Each structure stands twice: as C-alpha cells, then as structure tokens.
Amino acid sequence: MEPAGTSVPGATVAPGGPGTDTGGRTARRPELEIATRLSGGVLGAGMVIMPPVVAALTGGHSLRVWPAHILLGGSVSLMLAMVVRARVRPTSLAGTVGALLGSWAERAVNGAFAIAFTAGQAAIAWFAATCLLTAANGSLPRPGTEGLLLALGVLAAAVLAALSPLSLPAVVLRLRPWGTGVLALACAAWGWPAAPAVGAHTPLAPPGLTSGGAQWLALAALFFAGVGWEAVTAVVPVAALGRRRTAAGVALGAASVAVVYLGLATVQRLAAGAPAAQDPVSAPLRWVFAVATAAVLTSYCFTNVRTAARIAARLRPARLRPAEQGPAEQGPSERAPAKAVIASVGASCCAFACAGAAWDGTVPLLLLGPAAAALIGYGLAAVAAVRRGGPLLRCAGGSVLLVLVGMVVLAAPLLLGG
C-alpha cells in the first residue's frame, strides 16, 4: 500500500495508486479504470506480510478482522470518490484535502505519511529478516540483534538502489503485484511462516495482549495493507462519471481486493487445519519462500523509499524543490527528490528498525505508523466531506469520521493496557 500520488507503505503506487503501477494503461470502460486503479493501489507488499501477521495476532480468527477492514476501506474509498467527483482535479489524498480544507491540511497529510512511511519500510525489512531467520532455524526467531542486522541489510540495499540511477521498467511494475500475489498464495497454502504459539516472543505478535487487544492491533495494522484506498482521488475526476457509475467502479475495485485478501486468509486457514500442517516445511522449500519474499520486499522498499522522499520533499518550499525529472516508476509529472532527502529517509527507516529490536511483535507495532497516517488522512478527508459536501455526502463523511474516531477510542486502552 501507497496513497494515490503519494505512495505509502505496503503497496507501491505510481502517481495515483501503494501498491502498483498502472503503466499508462487505460481500461476500456471508465468503471474498469477506477476499479483497476483502486485494486492496484491497495494490493502490494501487504499481500505477503499481512496474512501471517493477522493470523499470528488473531490466533486463527483472521476471517473476523479482514471483512471489517475491507468494509471500512471500501467505505472510505467511496466517500473519497464522491468528494472528488465534481469538486477536485486529479491529485493525491494530500492534494485533495488541501484543496478542500486548505494548505495546512495538505501539509498535515504529507507530514504524517512522510514520517509513517519510514516505520512502514522498517516493518517490511523486519518481516523479510524474520523469514530468512525462519528458513535458517526452522522456526520463528525471537526479536534481537540477529534479526536487526538482516533488517538493516534489506534497508541498506533498498536505500543504495534508491540513491542510484536505477529505475524499474514499467513492465516490471505492472507484473510485480501479480508475482507478489502468487508468492503470497504459495506461502498461505503451505502455512509459511507458521503462526507463533500464544505468548511466544517473536517479531510477528507481541505477547501479553488480551484477545480484544490483539484483534484491535490486527485491525489497526491492516491499514498498512489498505493504504491505497485513496487511489480514487487520482482517477475519478478523470473518469467524469455520474454517481452510480462511479460507485460501481469503486465497488468493483473493493470486490477485487476482497477476493484477494479473503481468499488468502481462507487458504491459510484451511492449510493450518489440514493434517499436513503438522509436518514442518522442508528446508529447501523454506529457503525458496524466504529468498523470494526477501527479494520482493526489498524491491518494494526500494521504490517506497523514493516515494517517501518525494512526499518529504513536498514539505519544502516550492522554490527549494529539485527540478530534475524522476525515474520511470514515478510518472512523468513527478520530480526526483535530492539524494540528501533520500538518504535522510533511509536513515529514518534504519532508526525505526533499530528501535524495533527491543520489541516483541516488532512488525505489527511498526505497522502502527502507517495506520496512524491513514487515520489522519482519511479523517481529514471525512471532515472535508462534512464541510464541503451535500446532505448525503455529509452524512457519509460524518459516519466515516465517527467510525475512525471510535476505533481510536476503543482500541487505545486495549493496546496500551495489554
């Protein structure tokens, strides 16, 4: 997941959609273009990371959490689509709230995503490190310096690639989510990596949480997989459709996301309940999964670090922003950030990764950074809907805002209290 035109943790987006690049393709019908950009925005690295994390947190009850996330994400996306349909030109989530609420709102969203993005990349790197250590040891590792060194290695490779002239061809960006989905399906079918025992000290789930606290942490962490619901802000104004056809496009995109994530969760649950699940995955297959996962996630970190640097660069005065054009994956209208900004983002990612070495449940706790950014961005969009929309849109925006605020109020005591 990455926001439209802003790209954020989990899915990598081209200007307009985090998780994937559309490569300049145009759907035959505008509804299909909306659905393609929406599903492409949501589906990314989260396909590999989130099913094991949610299963570890919920103890096999992940199918209770995924539908709630998809329903909420689809509702946010529909609200955003209606907000921008006739009021805003194609732009990012930050640009949308800025146009409707003022420049302070745009800076707030860009600032939140710029900070949270670094925590998201640290979470991705820690998950890749956990997979490599699981392949070596045959079981999930404990948090510590061994995992930290591998996580820093993943981030170092991604940052060095981001600092180089390297850019991923459009065809690679188009095919990457498909390859990621195939890898995620294979991991789910083999039950790898296996969910930790309750109370175990691993990077996938903090011990000591109540059942309710674990459920809320899973739901909050899923915003990492859902950054990208705002991809509609870049495509809906271009489609210029009526309300019904716009809603149909959003519904089709949300249905595509639901099929993928609920399908992965179902396959994972069936695999965990099968008799073969008692047999450990063979060492060669563990290494195949681990190396493939590390390679895919490093590629997402690479493009995401550049995206985070572009977001951070938008916080600077326009006269100080770099003028050179960015690489292919940024799109023709994006500009490459200065190398110093990329290096600063990389250093921040490494700092979050180092902080994670002291935590049990490193991965989901780091994912709370992107979750907080998504809540801020979607919350401000809901405020914009209440202030600038008609009666129906105001009602929708108010409902979304109440749900988001309610989630924070209900989840915070459970998460802080363990």
Side-chain angles (χ1 to χ4, degrees):
M1 339 174 124
E2 300 157 335
T6 337
S7 247
V8 175
T12 311
V13 242
T20 46
D21 176 79
T22 59
R25 295 169 295 169
T26 302
R28 292 183 180 181
R29 296 183 60 183
E31 295 94 327
L32 295 180
E33 178 67 6
I34 293 173
T36 299
R37 293 290 289 273
L38 174 57
S39 58
V42 175
L43 299 175
M47 288 187 286
V48 172
I49 296 174
M50 295 316 302
V53 169
V54 172
L57 289 169
T58 60
H61 299 292
S62 61
L63 289 177
R64 298 178 182 176
V65 177
W66 281 106
H69 167 74
I70 292 169
L71 179 61
L72 177 57
S75 300
V76 168
S77 190
L78 181 60
M79 177 199 70
L80 282 168
M82 295 308 172
V83 166
V84 302
R85 190 176 62 86
R87 296 171 178 81
V88 180
R89 63 178 177 80
T91 185
S92 64
L93 174 62
T96 296
V97 298
L100 295 173
L101 297 178
S103 59
W104 67 268
E106 182 174 4
R107 288 194 299 270
V109 174
N110 278 330
F113 276 119
I115 296 171
F117 210 113
T118 59
Q121 304 323 298
I124 291 176
W126 262 102
F127 185 84
T130 300
C131 290
L132 291 171
L133 289 176
T134 301
N137 302 328
S139 60
L140 288 168
R142 293 173 63 93
T145 55
E146 190 178 10
L148 173 62
L149 292 176
L150 282 173
L152 291 176
V154 170
L155 290 174
V159 173
L160 288 174
L163 288 168
S164 74
L166 176 66
S167 62
L168 297 182
V171 64
V172 173
L173 292 171
R174 286 198 300 268
L175 294 176
R176 181 169 62 174
W178 292 96
T180 304
V182 170
L183 174 62
L185 181 60
C187 291
W190 266 271
W192 190 90
V198 177
H201 296 265
T202 76
L204 297 188
L209 283 177
T210 64
S211 175
Q215 298 277 342
W216 280 110
L217 178 56
L219 185 59
L222 276 176
F223 271 102
F224 170 83
V227 171
W229 290 111
E230 72 281 0
V232 293
T233 63
V235 66
V236 166
V238 176
L241 298 177
R243 289 183 180 178
R244 290 185 179 180
R245 295 181 65 185
T246 298
V250 173
L252 182 58
S256 301
V257 173
V259 167
V260 171
Y261 277 128
L262 292 178
L264 289 173
T266 301
V267 169
Q268 185 182 55
R269 183 172 182 178
L270 292 175
Q278 307 305 318
D279 301 325
V281 178
S282 65
L285 189 56
R286 291 202 307 266
W287 279 110
V288 169
F289 284 149
V291 172
T293 298
V296 167
L297 295 184
T298 301
S299 80
Y300 275 105
C301 283
F302 158 46
T303 51
N304 287 349
V305 164
R306 278 186 178 165
T307 300
R310 292 200 305 274
I311 298 171
R314 294 183 190 130
L315 297 171
R316 304 168 64 189
R319 60 185 178 82
L320 298 179
R321 296 177 189 173
E324 65 267 25
Q325 288 295 324
E329 68 263 22
Q330 297 176 14
S333 64
E334 293 285 344
R335 300 183 184 278
K339 290 187 177 181
V341 179
I342 295 176
S344 297
V345 168
S348 298
C349 294
C350 293
F352 272 110
C354 290
W359 304 336
D360 290 335
T362 302
V363 175
L365 293 176
L366 286 172
L367 292 179
L368 291 180
L375 283 170
I376 291 171
Y378 297 162
L380 286 175
V383 171
V386 171
R387 290 186 59 182
R388 301 292 296 273
L392 184 59
L393 187 54
R394 288 179 178 178
C395 181
S399 299
V400 168
L401 188 59
L402 284 175
V403 171
L404 294 177
V405 172
M407 283 181 57
V408 174
V409 171
L410 292 173
L414 290 170
L415 294 176
L416 295 175

